Amino acid sequence: MGIIIDGKVLAEKKREDISRRAKAFADKYGRSPGLAVVLVGEDQASAVYVRNKKRACIQTGITSFDYHLDENTTQKEILALIDELNARDDVDGILVQLPLPSQLIEEEILVRIDPSKDVDGFHPYNLGRLLMGEPSLVPCTPTGIMYMLDEYGVDIDGKDAVIIGRSNIVGKPMAILLMMRHATITICHSHTKDLPARVKSADIVVAATGRPHMIKGGWIKDGAVVIDVGISRTESGLVGDVDFDEAINHASLITPVPGGVGPMTITMLLENTIVAAGSHVS
Ligand code: NDP
């Protein structure tokens, strides 16, 4: 029976460290690190995420500036807000909550954010730096997973890692971070042939598809580390991509959903805000 990785406990530990650094920053520079969160429209899930981010900021001594824009906000209006936030000295990080209403062009908005304030790590400049092996602001979910692996003492060097999902925000940066630590990477997606065999070959499995329970326990190699990023709302509540009840019988370590990767993702957003703040002072 595998050990369950407790994302809440790890997140709490990391947040204590962030609180200390936020206080030291405020003592030294006479202001707290600041995070601007932009929410457009009334999407319920987005509103919950934004509330959780705001709560986490308050808990750690980061000032959050909240912008809740109307559903019908135009591209010109949101770009003007981004320009204003880019110019402000008290705003270290800018987060635009996705998804955006259909009249808004996501790529143009994310590229408009000053890369030094891109705390989500989605700007091509920051993704490019990651690809070059010079990461600065890295997407929060993959960095949170690296933190979890390190805290649980997982030896990554030389291991076979299989990542299921190739999004810009999870799958691809995850692959690069694991490769930087000398894992051998396989990235799977919806065109991959014989996914069970790929998963079976992995010492480390990262599932990020958003397909509830599609990774079966029997696919997991005995002793593998299983990280479940997926979050799907079903009639029985929030579930991950991995059939947890079966997989735990094969894995050595496994993350639950909820309570695994999710709490770490928000925590790494705070970490990125502290890092960004450090780059804005001399
Ligand atoms: P995307 O929808 O952008 O990507 C999903 C990926 O899964 C795609 O690459 C897709 O392949 C692949 N995929 C879908 N179906 C299959 C299949 N049957 N077999 C193999 N691969 C498949 O999702 P995200 O990366 O944004 O998010 C993934 C999940 O993680 C979601 O549930 C999301 O809610 C969750 N999430 C959780 C976070 C957290 O903090 N816990 C943070 C971010 C995301 P293809 O490219 O071929 O279409």
Side-chain angles (χ1 to χ4, degrees):
M1 190 77 127
I3 294 169
I4 299 173
I5 295 179
D6 192 333
K8 285 191 202 151
V9 167
L10 288 186
E12 208 46 55
K13 181 177 167 195
K14 182 73 183 159
R15 285 182 197 194
E16 282 169 18
D17 167 55
I18 291 168
S19 297
R20 271 194 298 275
R21 287 154 62 206
K23 184 172 182 315
F25 182 94
D27 289 347
K28 188 163 180 191
Y29 298 106
R31 69 170 181 90
S32 301
L35 174 65
V37 180
V38 180
L39 172 64
V40 187
E42 304 301 329
D43 181 77
Q44 286 302 308
S46 293
V48 171
Y49 289 136
V50 164
R51 246 197 333 270
N52 289 342
K53 286 167 187 174
K54 187 180 165 68
R55 200 176 300 141
C57 282
I58 293 168
Q59 183 200 355
T60 50
I62 291 172
T63 304
S64 91
F65 303 100
D66 301 322
Y67 295 86
H68 190 172
L69 307 184
D70 186 85
E71 181 77 36
N72 299 315
T73 298
T74 64
Q75 185 76 0
K76 202 172 158 196
E77 286 167 335
I78 192 166
L79 290 177
L81 174 60
I82 301 291
D83 289 344
E84 179 196 321
L85 297 172
N86 280 341
R88 270 176 53 178
D89 290 338
D90 55 348
V91 172
D92 296 296
I94 303 169
L95 178 149
V96 177
Q97 185 65 45
L98 304 177
L100 291 166
S102 56
Q103 78 277 13
L104 298 176
I105 306 160
E106 187 179 302
E107 296 74 26
E108 192 185 10
I109 293 164
L110 297 182
V111 168
R112 189 72 156 242
I113 296 172
D114 179 338
S116 79
K117 298 191 176 188
D118 168 41
V119 283
D120 261 334
F122 295 166
H123 193 289
Y125 174 83
N126 285 317
L127 288 172
R129 284 194 66 133
L130 176 62
L131 199 59
M132 302 286 287
E134 294 167 8
S136 46
L137 294 171
V138 179
C140 302
T141 301
T143 35
I145 291 170
M146 295 306 287
Y147 180 78
M148 288 177 133
L149 295 175
D150 287 339
E151 284 290 309
Y152 275 80
V154 175
D155 181 16
I156 298 169
D157 195 327
K159 295 294 185 303
D160 291 325
V162 169
I163 297 149
I164 310 129
R166 55 174 163 180
S167 70
N168 290 335
I169 64 172
V170 186
K172 287 182 201 164
M174 186 76 248
I176 294 166
L177 289 175
L178 286 166
M179 189 167 56
M180 283 169 67
R181 296 280 297 277
H182 311 301
T184 301
I185 306 300
T186 303
I187 303 183
C188 302
H189 44 75
S190 64
H191 295 241
T192 298
K193 282 184 276 181
D194 201 357
L195 185 62
R198 301 272 180 191
V199 174
K200 196 79 184 173
S201 72
D203 303 310
I204 299 169
V205 179
V206 180
T209 68
R211 310 265 170 207
H213 288 179
M214 71 162 283
I215 310 292
K216 305 301 173 201
W219 300 4
I220 306 295
K221 178 161 88 176
D222 284 341
V225 175
V226 178
I227 305 293
D228 192 352
V229 182
I231 305 175
S232 303
R233 278 169 213 281
T234 68
E235 282 175 2
S236 48
L238 292 182
V239 301
D241 291 354
V242 178
D243 190 338
F244 181 90
D245 292 342
E246 283 179 36
I248 195 170
N249 295 319
H250 299 276
S252 58
L253 287 168
I254 184 167
T255 59
V257 177
V261 174
M264 279 314 303
T265 295
I266 295 189
T267 305
M268 298 322 275
L269 172 71
L270 307 173
E271 167 73 20
N272 276 351
T273 305
I274 299 277
V275 170
S279 76
H280 295 144
V281 289
S282 45

